[in-house]
Amino acid sequence: MLQFPDSYFEDEVRDGFYVPSMIKRAWATAMDVLCEVDRICCKYNIKYYAEWGTLLGAVRHAGFIPWDDDLDIGMMRTDYRKFCEVAPKEFNESFQIFTFNTQKDFHHFLARVVCKNRICFEDEHLRRFHGFPYIAGLDIFVHDNVSNDAMLQEKCEKTAEYVITVADAIGDGRLNKAQETEALRRINNMLHVNCTSIEDKEQERIQLYNVAESVFASFEHEKCMEMTQMMPHSLYGRHLRIPKKFYEKLVRIPFENTTIPVPAGFDAMLKRRYGDYMKLVRNAGGHDYPFYESQKRQLEALMDFKLPEYTYDEKKVVREADPEELSGYRRYLKDYLDNIERQIEEIGHIQDTEVIKEKLVDVQQEVIDMGNLIEKIKGEGTESVRCLEHFCDVIYTMYQGNNADIKAEYDNVRRILEKDIIEKKEVLILVSKASEWKYIENVWKKYKEEQDTEVDVAILPYFYKEYDGSIKKEVNELGNFTTDIGAIDLAQYDIALHHPDIIYIQNPFDNENKAIGIEKKYYSDRLKCCTNKLVYIQSFTLEEFNSSNEREYKNMGCFCTVPGVVNSDEVYVQSENMRNMYIKKLTEFAGKETENIWKDKIYVKPDWMKNEGYNVVKGNGKIKILFYTSISGLMQNSEIAAGKIKNVLDVFKQYSDKIEVIWCVQSLVDTVMEDINRNLSEQINTIRDKYRIEEIGHICSDRDKDILNSCDAYYGDISSVVQEYRNADKPVMIMNYEV
């Protein structure tokens, strides 16, 4: 059983794509299935390897492709047969294997291993599988040998096509009795088998599918140089061919929080399939997204009601009336001052000494109350409190029968309190995560520079949820913020008493997130009642998209149609295009009649607000260049790669007074290069050791995302980072090993 940190299940932006918490739970469940498959394969010496998008994800992302949600592995036919035989007896817990032999209406020439064969909301299952109730797992694709004799291979494929066509026609009821009899006779004569007519036509289909698989596996001898996935990638004119030499050796590489075997020849194979496979292509893939959406719809149809979800509340979206200019403790102070002024005016018209003393006692008590209120908010020793203490002394002097200009003293108190407190704008910035501070830092800086504004940064604690939504672990990141921010624990700040003019938030979810939650008293609708303006600032940056990008647009529901966005008075997003996407999504969510509401409240971040760069200190005036070395570049140019890299670094060294080099060596180089090419691996390590000793620049991993994106320009091999630099309008130059 794999272990996942609580943070793994949070929503995350990967390569500009928003990955919701529920997808993370699906990923984790699929990886649990992979862990079980791996255990069985290790026990029985069965070889398997990452296949299709999983292979691409492992190499390019060290995990799932962010916009994909399935897991694929491959096996050769002999290993596949062995696995299908031993797995049912070996599976722990509720794991099951589906093939066309074991699962009704499963018409695929592959195996699917799942955590459970049904949607399950039982506590034990949800606790074990990360709160994911739907059927999830992985597909096992089968590879068969391809004959070196092209004519024999073509005959094999045509025969398999015919058998499958007959099988489906019989299973679907498209053949009459005579046609069925003739087709079976022909297959029996052609393949020397004994297929019979079966009353249950679905069983007859399965009988013929097994014959087709036998045809797939016609060539078992070791002399075959190529292999293929017969159905559907080699039949019907597709003729997929994969050199077996790519798979002669397997190496394990990182995949999310585990490892997965991949063919040592992955670079050449991925190039053959995808061309420039390091280029990010966000296509729709081969199935509905997310895959569990159809299961959810089936469940709702069966239960005849929709599963709970956040819905639009028109009473919360727009303020019913403009808020008062002053509220909270500043309003209390103004009321105190107004009342004291009236009493002082009354004192001026009273002749009776005892009555004057009674009034002075009342005034003094109100002054003391004001001081206590200010100390509660501002602490002791402020100028406002000192002037109130002096005012009390003046009142006492008058009480003793001495003359004093109480009106002049009052005017001075009022001037100081209005200047220092009442007329100052108060701004509260609520943040939970230190990693998101960069998205709101410039807001804080702006208000810090304004003389008439007081800005506070308060850390909003959050908690990780159990599968049932209950609190699993509370988190307070106050200690993760730098001291210059002056952040405080939100428990020290009475929001209702302060009633800030503006509250900025970064967490838009309230409780509408599968992974994290906050205390109910800090939900956006409640915060809105404690301020004149509630503002949400988008705390992530996405690759730009439009509504035709189905997966990106689908996932908008996880961060757009949520309470913090709906309830805020203003919402700031990354671009005009994203503003249009928010408006479109929110209008679909809340109804056409609400479109103008969203147009009025959704804004593009102004330039002064944007500060989404990475916190890497430059300070030396040099241009910072990212030099990227990938496993792909090294494998393609294995004979000359080390010499080229050494020459490049020597050139960089000559210009070290003008440039600072960050050399990123893809983590796969350290993971697999020694197994693939020991000599090249040793050469790269020697060059790196010299680089460190000579202190030409710095070395980082491809997982150090902040450092990767902090440089001014890119040079080196093709990688997923290239697109991010191009998006940021930073110079990009791809290294030519031949020059």
Side-chain angles (χ1 to χ4, degrees):
M1 179 177 173
L2 295 173
Q3 297 298 316
F4 296 89
D6 293 322
S7 58
Y8 181 81
F9 299 102
E10 292 187 56
D11 296 30
E12 179 184 1
V13 175
R14 292 192 182 187
D15 293 310
F17 184 88
Y18 195 93
V19 184
S21 175
M22 202 62 176
I23 294 291
K24 293 288 200 68
R25 294 175 189 274
W27 285 359
T29 303
M31 285 193 290
D32 281 341
V33 176
L34 175 65
C35 183
E36 178 67 2
V37 169
D38 185 78
R39 180 188 69 80
I40 296 171
C41 288
C42 290
K43 180 175 179 179
Y44 288 93
N45 196 29
I46 296 171
K47 289 177 64 175
Y48 79 94
Y49 35 83
E51 187 55 291
W52 297 108
T54 300
L55 173 60
L56 179 58
V59 172
R60 194 172 67 188
H61 304 275
F64 285 93
I65 297 173
W67 40 93
D68 203 0
D69 59 354
D70 59 358
L71 205 160
D72 302 323
I73 64 173
M75 294 179 183
M76 289 298 292
R77 175 68 63 180
T78 52
D79 287 309
Y80 176 78
R81 285 172 172 168
K82 187 174 182 180
F83 182 83
C84 291
E85 178 186 350
V86 302
K89 297 177 287 188
E90 282 285 339
F91 279 143
N92 292 332
E93 302 173 275
S94 58
F95 297 103
Q96 293 193 31
I97 183 169
F98 295 167
T99 67
F100 59 72
N101 283 308
T102 63
Q103 187 69 18
K104 184 180 178 182
D105 297 328
F106 188 84
H107 299 152
H108 306 285
F109 289 88
L110 53 80
R112 182 165 295 154
V113 183
V114 297
C115 61
K116 203 175 189 69
N117 66 351
R118 61 180 175 84
I119 299 172
C120 184
F121 284 89
E122 296 166 9
D123 284 350
E124 182 179 353
H125 177 85
L126 293 175
R127 189 176 295 109
R128 168 64 180 84
F129 291 107
H130 321 291
F132 190 74
Y134 302 106
I135 303 169
L138 57 83
D139 288 341
I140 305 176
F141 294 95
V142 195
H143 284 139
D144 290 295
N145 291 310
V146 173
S147 174
N148 294 336
D149 186 325
M151 292 183 66
L152 283 178
Q153 182 63 33
E154 183 178 4
K155 180 181 178 181
C156 167
E157 293 177 359
K158 292 297 183 184
T159 301
E161 289 174 14
Y162 177 71
V163 173
I164 294 170
T165 300
V166 171
D168 288 337
I170 291 174
D172 296 341
R174 289 184 277 114
L175 297 184
N176 60 35
K177 186 63 177 178
Q179 291 170 325
E180 176 187 344
T181 301
E182 174 56 25
L184 291 176
R185 184 196 65 77
R186 184 179 178 189
I187 291 171
N188 288 337
N189 289 340
M190 183 168 46
L191 297 174
H192 306 292
V193 293
N194 186 28
C195 294
T196 60
S197 178
I198 302 174
E199 183 176 351
D200 184 341
K201 296 308 173 185
E202 187 60 34
Q203 287 303 310
E204 192 169 337
R205 186 206 304 256
I206 301 309
Q207 173 187 230
L208 291 169
Y209 273 13
N210 279 298
V211 171
E213 281 206 328
S214 297
V215 175
F216 293 168
S218 297
F219 309 107
E220 296 184 358
H221 52 81
E222 294 297 322
K223 293 182 181 179
C224 295
M225 304 298 292
E226 295 178 317
M227 62 186 194
T228 187
Q229 183 190 328
M230 289 290 284
M231 182 68 179
H233 297 292
S234 192
L235 302 188
Y236 309 109
R238 296 183 179 91
H239 306 309
L240 173 70
R241 301 290 184 265
I242 307 169
K244 290 177 68 176
K245 64 180 181 180
F246 292 165
Y247 290 78
E248 288 174 355
K249 186 174 184 179
L250 301 179
V251 292
R252 295 191 79 102
I253 66 175
F255 190 86
E256 298 297 330
N257 65 338
T258 183
T259 61
I260 194 168
V262 302
F266 64 80
D267 179 66
M269 188 183 64
L270 286 173
K271 275 189 169 58
R272 178 172 293 197
R273 286 187 182 176
Y274 303 110
D276 179 8
Y277 65 85
M278 294 305 292
K279 182 179 180 181
L280 301 182
V281 179
R282 293 169 169 81
N283 55 23
H287 62 267
D288 291 337
Y289 178 89
F291 71 85
Y292 52 82
E293 192 70 24
S294 60
Q295 298 181 44
K296 179 182 175 183
R297 289 194 297 268
Q298 292 169 13
L299 178 64
E300 289 178 334
L302 181 66
M303 297 188 304
D304 198 27
F305 69 85
K306 290 181 68 66
L307 293 173
E309 60 182 12
Y310 174 65
T311 56
Y312 175 70
D313 185 348
E314 62 181 352
K315 295 179 181 178
K316 296 179 180 179
V317 68
V318 179
R319 290 184 182 273
E320 294 183 358
D322 291 334
E324 296 182 15
E325 289 187 11
L326 277 183
S327 295
Y329 84 103
R330 288 175 295 164
R331 171 48 116 194
Y332 299 151
L333 290 178
K334 184 177 184 304
D335 290 344
Y336 274 128
L337 288 172
D338 290 345
N339 193 44
I340 290 171
E341 185 173 12
R342 285 193 295 271
Q343 292 187 74
I344 290 174
E345 185 177 348
E346 290 176 8
I347 289 173
H349 297 90
I350 298 174
Q351 300 299 321
D352 189 323
T353 303
E354 292 304 317
V355 175
I356 291 175
K357 285 184 176 182
E358 290 176 5
K359 287 286 186 182
L360 289 172
V361 170
D362 292 341
V363 170
Q364 186 177 52
Q365 185 57 54
E366 293 209 40
V367 173
I368 292 171
D369 291 343
M370 289 172 65
N372 290 338
L373 178 58
I374 293 172
E375 285 189 340
K376 180 179 179 180
I377 299 295
K378 304 289 187 181
E380 298 179 355
T382 63
E383 183 182 359
S384 299
V385 170
R386 286 195 297 271
C387 81
L388 288 173
E389 289 172 345
H390 177 70
F391 191 29
C392 280
D393 292 340
V394 171
I395 294 170
Y396 181 72
T397 297
M398 289 186 65
Y399 185 86
Q400 294 293 328
N402 299 313
N403 292 327
D405 191 345
I406 189 172
K407 182 63 168 66
E409 291 295 339
Y410 163 79
D411 289 341
N412 184 56
V413 167
R414 182 155 198 146
R415 178 184 57 80
I416 291 174
L417 263 61
E418 287 179 342
K419 175 178 174 293
D420 290 352
I421 300 176
I422 296 174
E423 294 178 355
K424 268 194 173 182
K425 180 164 66 176
E426 283 205 10
V427 175
L428 174 64
I429 298 176
L430 286 183
V431 291
S432 291
K433 298 176 179 294
S435 60
E436 295 177 352
W437 172 248
K438 62 191 176 188
Y439 293 97
I440 207 165
E441 182 177 14
N442 273 5
V443 174
W444 171 71
K445 287 180 178 179
K446 174 181 179 292
Y447 287 120
K448 287 286 286 185
E449 294 172 357
E450 294 182 0
Q451 296 295 320
D452 62 345
T453 302
E454 186 164 315
V455 57
D456 288 294
V457 177
I459 309 307
L460 173 62
Y462 61 96
F463 57 83
Y464 289 112
K465 294 180 179 180
E466 293 282 8
Y467 70 92
D468 59 358
S470 60
I471 297 176
K472 182 178 184 181
K473 184 177 72 175
E474 295 183 345
V475 182
N476 189 325
E477 293 197 16
L478 179 60
N480 296 339
F481 289 81
T482 56
T483 55
D484 62 300
I485 297 171
I488 60 173
D489 192 316
L490 187 53
Q492 302 172 15
Y493 189 99
D494 189 324
I495 296 179
L497 188 57
H498 274 269
H499 199 96
D501 296 274
I502 308 175
I503 296 179
Y504 286 91
I505 61 173
Q506 288 185 295
N507 180 338
F509 305 115
D510 291 354
N511 199 41
E512 300 297 326
N513 185 279
K514 298 294 183 183
I516 61 172
I518 57 175
E519 279 191 74
K520 194 170 185 178
K521 63 182 178 180
Y522 300 125
Y523 285 3
S524 57
D525 58 341
R526 300 196 175 194
L527 291 176
K528 191 172 184 176
C529 296
C530 299
T531 182
N532 297 348
K533 184 188 293 184
L534 182 66
V535 181
Y536 165 65
I537 295 182
Q538 178 183 299
S539 56
F540 50 86
T541 302
L542 301 175
E543 182 85 5
E544 294 292 337
F545 62 88
N546 56 48
S547 55
S548 65
N549 299 105
E550 295 179 7
R551 299 189 177 194
E552 289 91 333
Y553 193 65
K554 170 72 176 178
N555 287 350
M556 277 196 79
C558 299
F559 62 82
C560 175
T561 55
V562 290
V565 174
V566 172
N567 296 334
S568 290
D569 297 294
E570 293 179 0
V571 173
Y572 287 89
V573 300
Q574 67 189 53
S575 66
E576 183 63 34
N577 172 66
M578 194 61 65
R579 175 179 179 267
N580 292 334
M581 289 298 96
Y582 267 72
I583 292 169
K584 180 178 176 63
K585 193 73 173 182
L586 286 162
T587 302
E588 291 174 359
F589 167 69
K592 181 65 179 176
E593 67 279 4
T594 67
E595 183 176 6
N596 287 333
I597 293 175
W598 315 121
K599 287 181 176 180
D600 289 342
K601 75 161 57 182
I602 310 294
Y603 295 85
V604 179
K605 291 181 182 179
D607 289 341
W608 68 264
M609 191 181 285
K610 297 175 182 178
N611 182 26
E612 297 164 13
Y614 294 89
N615 298 322
V616 177
V617 178
K618 294 184 179 180
N620 53 18
K622 297 179 182 180
I623 296 173
K624 188 176 288 188
I625 296 178
L626 176 65
F627 177 41
Y628 195 101
T629 299
S630 73
I631 186 76
S632 172
L634 294 177
M635 290 176 67
Q636 288 179 69
N637 305 278
S638 58
E639 298 299 322
I640 59 175
K644 175 66 176 181
I645 290 171
K646 184 177 181 302
N647 290 338
V648 168
L649 293 175
D650 286 343
V651 172
F652 282 145
K653 184 178 180 181
Q654 294 176 31
Y655 295 93
S656 59
D657 60 326
K658 297 179 180 178
I659 62 174
E660 180 180 352
V661 180
I662 305 294
W663 185 17
C664 175
V665 181
Q666 189 179 13
S667 56
L668 283 180
V669 174
D670 294 320
T671 306
V672 305
M673 183 55 77
E674 186 174 357
D675 290 334
I676 297 172
N677 189 328
R678 179 182 292 273
N679 181 51
L680 181 55
S681 176
E682 291 174 350
Q683 291 181 66
I684 296 301
N685 286 334
T686 299
I687 295 171
R688 263 196 295 190
D689 289 342
K690 181 182 178 182
Y691 185 81
R692 289 190 183 98
I693 293 170
E694 294 184 350
E695 297 184 345
I696 298 171
H698 305 285
I699 291 176
C700 76
S701 163
D702 55 339
R703 298 183 183 182
D704 297 326
K705 299 297 186 183
D706 285 3
I707 298 177
L708 289 181
N709 288 280
S710 71
C711 297
D712 303 300
Y714 181 102
Y715 178 76
D717 298 333
I718 284 287
S719 74
S720 59
V721 184
V722 166
Q723 192 60 39
E724 296 184 30
Y725 271 65
R726 288 172 177 162
N727 291 341
D729 293 326
K730 295 180 181 180
V732 172
M733 182 178 293
I734 305 304
M735 185 167 71
N736 185 341
Y737 281 84
E738 300 289 343
V739 177

